Amino acid sequence: ILLGHERSLTQIKYNKEGDLLFSCSKDHVINVWYTHNGERLGTYDGHNGTVWTVDVDSESKFLVSGSADNCMKLWNVATGKCLFTWEFPTAVKRVAFNEDDDRIVCITEQRMGHQCAVRVFDINREGDGTDQSEEPTYMFNPVGSKATVCAFPYMDGLILTGHESGKVALFDMKTGDEVLNNERAHMDTVTDLQLSTDRTYFITSSKDKTARLHDTKTLMVLKTYSTETPLNSAAIAPKRPYVLLGGGQEAMSVTTTSLRQGKFETRFWHKVFEEEVGRVKGHFGPINTIAVHPAGTSYSSGGEDGFVRVHHFDESYWKAKPYGDLEIE
């Protein structure tokens, strides 16, 4: 159990090697931990509001974070130094690096007369990283329902988004046109979006109590995992056919139910057969964010209770035969 936050977790993220885990929460602090022993390596201090989102590049050189103080910050992972700050009219709800680490996409909130905006920044990786452009390379306002989550798919020049209405869409980064959408991907707000390792498919979780696997190119729903509780996060386990879902009732209505009904467990579902295969208990409140180690050897969950729990899979997890006696090549 990692104790480093005083308030509920908003997002956790492993680096590419999986030896570091970044966590951010409503207490304005971003922490970084060693995953093998849970030791805290350090913090990234500088935000003056809830830190909603964090992402790290594949070299673990730069970290980017978005916060309710209307800022997006670029950090040096090794030193904890803030390299650059972008300021916006409203809060930053989601940030993500692209595959080549030279671009960042961010979503800002729809508030106070400002529309929800998606901005793409080119990141200058030369030198110490302090020389960045203030202005976004591209910027557009998604028409209709506001975007809540975003990522770079494997197709060049496109941005993948999930929306408050439950739709998922692909936008042309340069023109801001909606290239493709699936209006009925979910019936309620999309709360999380995580890509597979090769970015060809992705999983979304939603308040409509389902998580869904989609094809990145066509946005078709491939699989649906239906639970009886609103979901806040969903992740794909590499090397094994499982997906992990986390959620629970809204924090405000939790006190009215017993622990069992609050359902604060990480749920394991079989990715292909759409069957629930196991649950892991632990949190004293809804699970807000889940991340799986890139090698698939462990996973972490961050809860409304302010704790991050790191779970290492035991031997039986690798020995189990999720397809029965069938051997998958």
Side-chain angles (χ1 to χ4, degrees):
I1 297 181
L2 311 181
L3 302 162
H5 292 289
E6 290 166 10
R7 294 188 58 196
S8 50
L9 271 292
T10 48
Q11 200 179 7
I12 51 178
K13 208 68 186 224
Y14 283 92
N15 65 343
K16 194 176 176 187
E17 285 73 39
D19 59 335
L20 299 177
L21 180 70
F22 298 87
S23 62
C24 59
S25 92
K26 292 185 178 174
D27 62 8
H28 312 181
V29 181
I30 305 165
N31 284 319
V32 56
W33 314 82
Y34 283 120
T35 51
H36 64 284
N37 62 0
E39 186 186 332
R40 180 158 73 169
L41 184 60
T43 59
Y44 301 86
D45 300 321
H47 279 298
N48 302 318
T50 295
V51 184
W52 286 118
T53 170
V54 60
D55 197 14
V56 57
D57 69 16
S58 60
E59 293 174 11
S60 304
K61 179 179 173 183
F62 294 145
L63 179 77
V64 61
S65 61
S67 160
D69 62 8
N70 303 357
C71 291
M72 178 168 85
K73 287 180 184 287
L74 189 71
W75 309 84
N76 178 322
V77 171
T79 63
K81 194 173 141 238
C82 179
L83 304 172
F84 199 85
T85 302
W86 290 269
E87 290 185 19
F88 306 112
T90 57
V92 183
K93 293 297 275 196
R94 191 71 167 216
V95 294
F97 274 103
N98 67 347
E99 225 163 349
D100 302 329
D101 303 327
D102 56 5
R103 282 206 167 128
I104 289 174
V105 60
C106 82
I107 289 180
T108 53
E109 187 110 86
Q110 179 176 334
R111 279 271 161 83
M112 305 168 312
H114 293 281
Q115 279 180 294
C116 162
V118 177
R119 293 177 176 85
V120 178
F121 290 89
D122 282 341
I123 297 302
N124 173 15
R125 297 185 66 84
E126 302 300 313
D128 59 1
T130 49
D131 179 26
Q132 303 295 344
S133 155
E134 292 256 331
E135 292 304 308
T137 316
Y138 306 110
M139 173 184 162
F140 60 89
N141 304 91
V143 187
S145 168
K146 70 174 190 187
T148 50
V149 289
C150 60
F152 284 100
Y154 68 94
M155 298 91 87
D156 218 27
L158 296 182
I159 304 269
L160 177 65
T161 55
H163 297 254
E164 205 172 44
S165 65
K167 83 168 174 183
V168 292
L170 285 167
F171 283 91
D172 184 308
M173 188 159 79
K174 299 178 174 68
T175 62
D177 297 335
E178 195 169 72
V179 182
L180 190 65
N181 71 24
N182 181 350
E183 290 283 353
R184 305 253 60 87
H186 283 286
M187 298 302 156
D188 204 343
T189 306
V190 178
T191 49
D192 194 11
L193 182 157
Q194 296 194 24
L195 294 152
S196 63
T197 321
D198 60 3
R199 300 184 184 230
T200 54
Y201 64 99
F202 62 96
I203 192 167
T204 53
S205 61
S206 166
K207 287 191 178 153
D208 68 3
K209 306 184 179 178
T210 65
R212 292 198 158 129
L213 217 53
H214 315 256
D215 181 276
T216 310
K217 199 168 182 176
T218 61
L219 299 185
M220 239 175 68
V221 174
L222 306 171
K223 299 286 173 187
T224 301
Y225 315 102
S226 302
T227 66
E228 59 299 324
T229 175
L231 295 174
N232 298 330
S233 192
I236 300 167
K239 302 196 168 92
R240 301 254 75 187
Y242 303 123
V243 295
L244 286 67
L245 317 180
Q249 284 164 308
E250 291 289 328
M252 45 195 189
S253 56
V254 162
T255 47
T256 57
T257 55
S258 74
L259 189 67
R260 185 74 192 106
Q261 279 169 310
K263 310 236 169 27
F264 308 130
E265 300 149 324
T266 301
R267 295 131 179 276
F268 284 72
W269 284 68
H270 197 294
K271 186 161 73 179
V272 183
F273 299 145
E274 304 177 71
E275 288 169 4
E276 188 169 0
V277 293
R279 291 186 184 187
V280 177
K281 287 195 187 71
H283 284 284
F284 295 106
I287 293 171
N288 292 339
T289 172
I290 291 181
V292 184
H293 191 291
T297 52
S298 63
Y299 84 92
S300 303
S301 55
E304 189 71 32
D305 54 11
F307 298 123
V308 178
R309 301 176 75 95
V310 183
H311 302 258
H312 295 275
F313 294 125
D314 41 29
E315 204 47 22
S316 59
Y317 173 81
W318 298 102
K319 290 208 170 118
K321 295 188 172 177
Y323 296 105
D325 286 334
L326 190 65
E327 282 302 315
I328 303 290
E329 290 297 313

